[in-house]
Amino acid sequence: MKKIAFLGLFALSTLLISCEEDDNNTNNNQEPTDTKVTPKFMYDYNFGADDFQLDQYYALDGGAQVSFSLASFYISQPTLVDDNDVETPLTPEYIIVRPGDGPTSFDAIESGHAHRLKFNVGIDAATNTENGASGVQPSDFTDPNHPLAPQPEGMYWSWASGYIFVKLEGAYDYDGDSQADTTFKYHLGVNDLLQVKDVMLHSDMAGGEDFEVDIKLDLKQVFTNLDINTEVLTMTMGGPENKALATKIIQNFANGISVEKHDHGSH
Amino acid sequence: MVSRLRNMITAVTKYGLPKSKIKKLGSLALLSFFVFLACTPNQDQQKSTAVDQPVSIAIPHFPEMPVPENRPITKKRIALGKKLFNDPILSKNQDISCASCHLSAKAFTDGRNVSTGTEGRQTLRNSPTLFNLAWQPYLFMDGGNPTLESQVFGPIEEHTEMDNPFTEAMARVAASAEYQRLFKEAFGDDVNPFTLTTALSTFERSLVSYNSPFDQFYYYGDSSALSPSAQRGLQLFTSEALACESCHSFPLTTNFSFENIGLKMHYQTDSGRARVTQVAADHGKFKVPTLRNITLTAPYMHDGSVETLSEVIDHFAAGGVGHPNQSKQVNGFAITARQKEDLLAFLASLTDTNSYQQYQD
């Protein structure tokens, strides 16, 4: 994995300040330790303007409601990019995200400027096993806690050998009486449906601090141009209509993801 | 002779043999067809199998068995996989095991049209034989899975089969003190996704069938192994007119290609290979099955819709229903009643009643 540190003027000034501080201390051999920054992803599920929780009804247009029993998805290959397009891949490389999950702490990187953040919604094609044994499979892992190991909700198609990028399941209540009228299952994946997010952060990363980024997901976006009466099931594969529906939903899902530097004042 | 050979095999696997003895055994392969060789493990294997000795399964007239380098076959792993295979612990309701749909006496099929999972749920497909799985380049009739290890997730998690999250099945196995001990002995490691899938895949790789009258006749020159009728059937099988062997290629009796055999015009409930590839031209195509032990694995076809081998021959003789994706090889042929009997006699000669017995307790 290519890992290129980006040190800007900010980092340099931090280093100088550290040296001055060292001069004031008796221990002149102390290495400066505050050039590193720990990136963190904070996850925030919403449904429109409401906070989101599983198994709660949320209003859709026309008086219908929807509740989710599952809303899990993969993030892969998160990468920070500086002003000079120098990329710093973050570790861990694969993350499974579920409602209510706490933050992901990445390995420390050099401080500097985070111009952009890139990541995939889904698993990159080189890793995803799609009709071939060259990729990664859940059976490869001795660590059951690895995100690509078998997951309780089943994030892998054993019958088609690929990871499910986004798994949404739940129920529709068409008449608004808070009783489920039908269930829905949207299992979205395959390599050409990988969604790449590339967003502007334009934030300095101060050494010695956490660099916290909010990954906000608005699940209401999933229902953009979706006919909830007829479009209730897709496993992505199994026919062109399934693929078309999966394509629409995963694009809606990815459009519902926004990213911004975490503002401590707002919480 | 069979029991004598089995004893010999047991001795080889149990104690290992000096090279000279192994060479001698190799010369006996003409008689035995089946040799377990206790090999000197390479460094990687030694690392991963410090607690058990690897064995390799070599069948002289088969291609070399492909075995992942990090998953060498060992006796303890075979035994552990066999125990898991027969244990309902993996299923949601703990009511069925792998062996429920893969009975050794039926060459690891179940005799049903389609298999029955937990709570009596019906699957879409006929239970396939598990013999010689080690040579399959991809698993399932649509080829949707590339390895024996990740195939394990299929029957465990599928709603119409065991309907159990793999993580739950794994937690149950890990909670068993006996299984903890057996995994430590077989892998030097805990129950985890790698070890659990490897135990099952190792047992499956050990299921080999190689010792039919056809093998004795065709590969080892025993002219008495096939009746004159079966010999005529063999000629028909390989003839240009019938062209059976173009897909059911020797020695494994499959070339692993995906073919639409014109079983029906519409495959609404199971599109076969197209489910995986999304390609319309793959609609109704299924992987060519092995014909080894075919007399033990009725009913036939992907959906078990044909009850007898005689009807299977009738289907191919009629040339299928003319599906747009139908294989060019399925174009019909003329066959007399006597030729049909000969062909059936040959198909019966592919039955290896010795192999499955050694997998029974």
Side-chain angles (χ1 to χ4, degrees), chain A residues 131 137 139 141 158 161 237-238, chain B residues 71 144-145 150 154 194 276 278:
Chain A
N131 301 326
Q137 299 170 299
S139 47
F141 293 92
S158 58
S161 62
M237 291 160 282
Chain B
R71 291 181 164 102
N145 195 290
S150 59
F194 180 91
V276 175
Q278 318 298 306

Side-chain angles (χ1 to χ4, degrees), chain B residues 214 218-219 234 236-239 242-251 253-255 291 346:
Chain B
F214 161 73
Y218 195 80
Y219 292 102
L234 170 58
L236 281 169
F237 189 84
T238 55
S239 68
L242 270 64
C244 309
E245 211 235 335
S246 62
C247 291
H248 294 288
S249 313
F250 299 150
T253 62
T254 171
N255 63 359
L291 299 185
F346 166 68

Side-chain angles (χ1 to χ4, degrees), chain B residues 86-358:
Chain B
N86 288 282
D87 193 338
I89 192 172
L90 299 176
S91 63
K92 173 185 171 186
N93 296 314
Q94 306 205 42
D95 54 348
I96 59 171
S97 69
C98 307
S100 300
C101 298
H102 298 288
L103 287 69
S104 59
K106 292 183 181 296
F108 294 96
T109 64
D110 64 5
R112 299 171 183 264
N113 298 102
V114 294
S115 295
T116 302
T118 189
E119 299 174 5
R121 295 172 194 162
Q122 297 293 292
T123 69
L124 289 176
R125 292 176 181 167
N126 180 250
S127 174
T129 179
L130 303 188
F131 273 127
N132 302 333
L133 275 185
W135 287 273
Q136 294 271 344
Y138 23 73
L139 284 305
F140 301 141
M141 292 179 183
D142 53 28
N145 195 290
T147 70
L148 272 175
E149 287 72 35
S150 59
Q151 177 277 148
V152 165
F153 301 122
I156 293 176
E157 295 192 329
E158 164 58 36
H159 175 71
T160 59
E161 297 184 50
M162 295 186 182
D163 193 24
N164 202 19
F166 182 84
T167 50
E168 170 61 23
M170 186 170 64
R172 282 188 200 161
V173 174
S176 156
E178 183 185 10
Y179 273 121
Q180 283 180 22
R181 177 178 60 79
L182 292 172
F183 272 81
K184 283 286 185 193
E185 289 177 3
F187 292 97
D189 203 348
D190 296 324
V191 181
N192 62 50
F194 180 91
T195 56
L196 182 51
T197 57
T198 302
L200 284 162
S201 68
T202 304
F203 172 63
E204 289 170 337
R205 282 194 182 90
S206 79
L207 303 177
V208 291
S209 181
Y210 53 88
N211 190 13
S212 67
F214 161 73
D215 294 292
Q216 296 164 23
F217 175 86
Y218 195 80
Y219 292 102
Y220 298 103
D222 180 356
S223 58
S224 67
L226 291 194
S227 68
S229 175
Q231 291 184 38
R232 290 193 299 271
L234 170 58
Q235 288 182 336
L236 281 169
F237 189 84
T238 55
S239 68
E240 201 171 312
L242 270 64
C244 309
E245 211 235 335
S246 62
C247 291
H248 294 288
S249 313
F250 299 150
L252 294 165
T253 62
T254 171
N255 63 359
F256 307 109
S257 64
F258 299 97
E259 305 291 344
N260 180 316
I261 59 167
L263 188 63
K264 47 191 173 183
M265 283 305 291
H266 303 288
Y267 293 80
Q268 293 103 327
T269 54
D270 189 352
S271 61
R273 182 67 177 159
R275 184 175 78 155
V276 175
T277 64
Q278 318 298 306
V279 175
D282 286 338
H283 203 80
K285 289 185 178 178
F286 294 86
K287 187 171 58 180
V288 173
T290 178
L291 299 185
R292 287 181 173 274
N293 303 298
I294 196 71
T295 56
L296 300 174
T297 63
Y300 303 104
M301 309 307 191
H302 73 278
D303 55 1
S305 60
V306 180
E307 295 293 332
T308 68
L309 281 175
S310 178
E311 292 170 285
V312 171
I313 293 173
D314 290 344
H315 166 78
F316 285 107
V321 298
H323 191 284
N325 295 338
Q326 190 170 308
S327 168
K328 288 185 171 52
Q329 302 290 351
V330 182
N331 53 10
F333 50 80
I335 188 167
T336 67
R338 178 178 164 174
Q339 285 175 320
K340 189 173 169 184
E341 289 304 314
D342 291 343
L343 194 54
L344 286 167
F346 166 68
L347 292 172
S349 81
L350 292 166
T351 303
D352 172 12
T353 53
N354 299 323
S355 293
Y356 74 80
Q357 289 172 1
Q358 64 191 323

